[in-house]
Amino acid sequence: MQSTTAPRRRSTVGRRLALVVAAAAVVATSVAGTSAPATAQATRNPILFVHGYGGSAGNWNTMISRFRSAGYTSNELMAITYNSALSNTTIAGQVRTAADNLRSRTGAAKIDIVAHSMGSLSTRYYLKNLGGSSVVDDWVSLGGPNHGTTSALACTLISLGCVDMVAGSLFLLGLNAGDESPGSTSYSTVWSSCDGVIIPATSTIVSGANNNQLGCVTHLALLTDQTAFNRTRSLVA
């Protein structure tokens, strides 16, 4: 009996040593910076970035670069460009398509959304009316006109998106009717009293969301400010 069990013991020990060596190799590779830790990759979600009125995907270059430095891969980060003259209802359809594409290319069950300014409206519509809340884990609005802004009055003749951003518009009345943060998605907003474009600045606040006020940060600086990035990063962690 002893002669038959001893080899098995040695085999088990050998397998354990092999596992330890393999684990050490993974850790060493991660520390060297050639790959992210497996646990980090398993817990984070890909992020879809949606710009504001008159913007483009390029608005997110600084923030995306910082997310890359934080360990995200380029495949996990997607920024879209849309036509700001369209209604937010129409843009929301484009958001849904982009979200589906991001999930498909990464194999992720859920994604996060980070939106700036008017992008907050189309993404909220996607969450509430187009099934987005079932596949979006975290939604973060940076300076979003979630209850309207007086600055939108300057462009209502050239943009349906601006019409949507006027306080009391049919779009906002529908978007904010009932639960402002429906579904299982975690809603967060980031706003500043120095915004200058979202008037009043408190329009960004969404009922039921984690509403975060920063120091004196301008509307466009929310895209590039280090503190704004740090807060955003913590909200999608």
Side-chain angles (χ1 to χ4, degrees), residues 12-146:
T12 300
V13 171
R15 285 197 297 270
R16 288 175 179 171
L17 286 173
L19 289 173
V20 170
V21 171
V26 171
V27 171
T29 302
S30 299
V31 171
T34 56
S35 66
T39 53
Q41 292 180 348
T43 56
R44 70 181 178 227
N45 297 315
I47 304 175
L48 176 65
F49 298 89
V50 183
H51 66 78
Y53 177 78
S56 70
N59 291 160
W60 298 105
N61 287 349
T62 298
M63 188 169 286
I64 286 177
S65 176
R66 286 172 173 157
F67 271 104
R68 289 290 307 277
S69 296
Y72 283 72
T73 67
S74 58
N75 194 52
E76 296 172 312
L77 306 169
M78 175 189 287
I80 65 171
T81 297
Y82 61 83
N83 183 350
S84 298
L86 300 175
S87 71
N88 281 284
T89 302
T90 300
I91 298 168
Q94 298 177 26
V95 171
R96 175 175 60 184
T97 298
D100 289 345
N101 289 340
L102 181 56
R103 291 175 58 229
S104 177
R105 83 182 192 185
T106 60
K110 291 199 172 187
I111 65 168
D112 296 330
I113 288 181
V114 178
H116 179 245
S117 196
M118 192 177 82
S120 303
L121 302 187
S122 60
T123 53
R124 278 185 66 203
Y125 188 94
Y126 162 60
L127 293 177
K128 183 172 184 176
N129 299 302
L130 300 181
S133 62
S134 65
V135 297
V136 175
D137 190 22
D138 298 302
W139 173 86
V140 181
S141 167
L142 307 176
N146 292 304

